[in-house]
Amino acid sequence: MQAKIITLPGDGIGPEVVTEAVRVLEQVAARFGHTWTFEEAQIGGCAIDVTGTSLPDETIRVCETADAVLLGAVGGLKWSDPTAAVRPEQGLLQLRQHFDLFANLRPVKAYPALAQHAPLRADLLQNVDILFVRELTSGIYFGERAEQGDGDRAWDTMAYTTGQVERIARVAFEAAQRRRGKLASVDKANVLAVMRLWRRTVNEVSADYPDVALEHVLVDACAMHLLRNPGRFDVVLAGNLFGDILSDEASVLAGSLGMLPSASVSTSRFGLYEPIHGSAPDIAGQNIANPTGTILSAAMLLRHSLGLDAEADAVEDAVDNVLAAGARTADLVGPDDTPIGTTAFTDRVLEHLSVPIGQVD
Ligand code: NAD
Ligand code: IPM
Ligand code: MN
């Protein structure tokens, strides 16, 4: 098949990890006989430097012509002045909003091969396979705010309508139906009115999914359960802010923040695919970043936007195999392991992907 993919490398390690994911996509094209057209555009701090805005109109325009968008990360010290009028992160939020990408899917699984050096005990990591469904275009990120405060007071507003909760809840219930039939909805209904609306709406939607076992978990307790007994979770549904925080926490289960992919989707096939991590200024430019989160985001792109399940499986299997064979970037090593660089790690993934069809596994 043919497809047009826009890359938005962004800032910090963004360009490094997107380069690697593109190499993987090119290998997939060669092996399975597809043709991708790539076009690169700007977002974030690098866009501010050139155009004065973090999401230039031209970037939106080219994304509108695409089947899917692959993004690295935005942000960095250079653009972090709290009094700055434009910030890199605004561009990403605008992009998500422009395409109404209200559902952010963040799968988390623990890799047995990485258990040895995981911060959590290996027995806690058995059977960890969680899908976070994070609401992405409403909530406190998009509520009314006083941008700079009024001198000695500032505020952001967490607001949800029943419609906004209902549509993300349906995504989560449907995912649970395809998985192990369990849904944990995260809220703070004991304190926040908006979260009581969240819980009430999720309960109403649950009537349409009698085959899904629903539980409500308060966000503070959820943060604890995720480390204490992560195997209890199947699908976790959360609002924009809680989902952001809990998924970074859950990345520890996978071994590193650098491991987790995400898909930001709406009701069509179009999607924005991005690792969950940021621009990691502390390690940028050194070829040591873990490209796995972006490579697995490319796999999600293949599956969701292009409908190519076998190709997505092949990428995920290649990552599994490379980790099982002992390849580790610096974020994954223990004291006795020798890390390999970003490019070398991807080289190993490409080797696994180049095995002719039919001879994999
Ligand atoms: P971060 O996710 O960039 O980094 C947190 C820590 O994880 C750092 O120690 C970093 O080195 C490490 N890390 C992250 N990704 C890694 C990878 N692929 N391989 C190895 N180690 C990795 O978070 P931060 O430092 O709090 O934020 C830096 C900037 O990134 C900020 O400007 C923030 O707004 C931005 N950010 C952007 C996105 C995005 O574009 N989607 C997401 C999160 C943060
Ligand atoms: C993420 C990031 C973004 C978010 C920021 C950079 C706007 O943390 O993608 O997880 O909070 O959604
Ligand atoms: Mn985040």
Side-chain angles (χ1 to χ4, degrees):
M1 78 179 294
Q2 300 198 346
K4 181 167 175 185
I5 300 168
I6 305 301
T7 58
L8 304 176
D11 308 314
I13 62 169
E16 298 171 51
V17 293
V18 166
T19 297
E20 304 308 326
V22 167
R23 290 172 68 210
V24 169
L25 285 169
E26 280 169 343
Q27 180 78 34
V28 167
R31 177 172 155 191
F32 290 88
H34 302 304
T35 308
W36 315 140
T37 310
F38 290 101
E39 199 171 325
E40 187 175 308
Q42 287 183 325
I43 190 170
C46 60
I48 293 176
D49 287 350
V50 177
T51 67
T53 158
S54 53
L55 184 64
D57 290 344
E58 174 63 9
T59 297
I60 297 180
R61 194 195 61 73
V62 293
C63 289
E64 281 172 346
T65 68
D67 296 292
V69 179
L70 182 68
L71 181 137
V74 298
L77 256 186
K78 180 178 176 189
W79 309 281
S80 292
D81 178 352
T83 63
V86 282
R87 290 187 305 280
E89 292 80 1
Q90 290 168 333
L92 180 54
L93 298 179
Q94 284 165 18
L95 185 68
R96 292 168 178 171
Q97 192 176 42
H98 178 83
F99 288 101
D100 195 27
L101 303 171
F102 66 92
N104 184 219
L105 311 176
R106 296 185 161 191
V108 179
K109 70 173 193 168
Y111 293 84
L114 299 178
Q116 197 190 352
H117 297 301
L120 293 179
R121 286 201 324 260
D123 61 303
L124 291 177
L125 295 176
Q126 270 170 15
N127 308 318
V128 169
D129 182 359
I130 305 172
L131 177 67
F132 281 84
V133 176
R134 172 191 176 196
E135 199 290 321
L136 201 62
T137 50
S138 338
I140 195 164
Y141 279 52
F142 294 92
E144 282 175 34
R145 61 168 50 102
E147 191 58 49
Q148 299 294 345
D150 56 2
D152 59 0
R153 206 162 67 101
W155 65 88
D156 297 86
T157 316
M158 187 186 288
Y160 272 110
T161 65
T162 52
Q164 289 163 343
V165 179
E166 179 179 341
R167 67 176 183 168
I168 192 68
R170 289 196 185 281
V171 171
F173 276 106
E174 279 158 31
Q177 282 181 324
R178 290 191 301 271
R179 290 170 50 99
R180 304 193 301 281
K182 283 168 53 177
L183 175 60
S185 173
V186 177
D187 64 38
K188 189 74 185 173
N190 54 341
V191 176
L192 304 176
V194 60
M195 289 284 106
R196 287 190 282 279
L197 177 140
W198 177 280
R199 188 177 287 207
R200 193 187 78 217
T201 308
V202 172
N203 274 331
E204 282 164 14
V205 172
S206 74
D208 291 340
Y209 304 91
D211 48 338
V212 174
L214 169 67
E215 65 169 335
H216 300 283
V217 188
L218 295 171
V219 62
D220 44 358
C222 185
M224 178 276 297
H225 288 305
L226 275 172
L227 302 185
R228 184 81 183 76
N229 184 12
R232 68 178 260 172
F233 292 110
D234 178 10
V235 178
V236 176
L237 167 65
N240 207 338
L241 181 62
F242 295 165
D244 179 46
I245 297 166
L246 293 177
S247 52
D248 264 37
E249 182 195 0
S251 74
V252 176
L253 306 169
S256 162
L257 185 54
M259 297 293 292
L260 293 200
S262 86
S264 303
V265 299
S266 189
T267 48
S268 73
R269 283 217 146 172
F270 176 86
L272 168 67
Y273 299 85
E274 34 178 335
I276 83 156
H277 62 72
S279 58
D282 53 337
I283 60 165
Q286 300 174 48
N287 190 39
I288 59 172
N290 186 343
T292 306
T294 316
I295 291 171
L296 292 176
S297 298
M300 294 184 86
L301 181 160
L302 291 166
R303 183 174 283 114
H304 185 88
S305 281
L306 307 184
L308 299 174
D309 288 339
E311 288 80 343
D313 288 347
V315 173
E316 288 163 358
D317 288 351
V319 168
D320 284 350
N321 283 322
V322 162
L323 293 170
R328 304 277 182 273
T329 44
D331 52 320
L332 298 173
V333 295
D336 302 328
D337 299 320
T338 312
I340 58 175
T342 310
T343 312
F345 185 91
T346 312
D347 288 344
R348 305 281 283 271
V349 175
L350 296 180
E351 278 165 30
H352 278 275
L353 267 177
S354 65
V355 178
I357 300 169
Q359 290 179 32
V360 180
D361 293 332

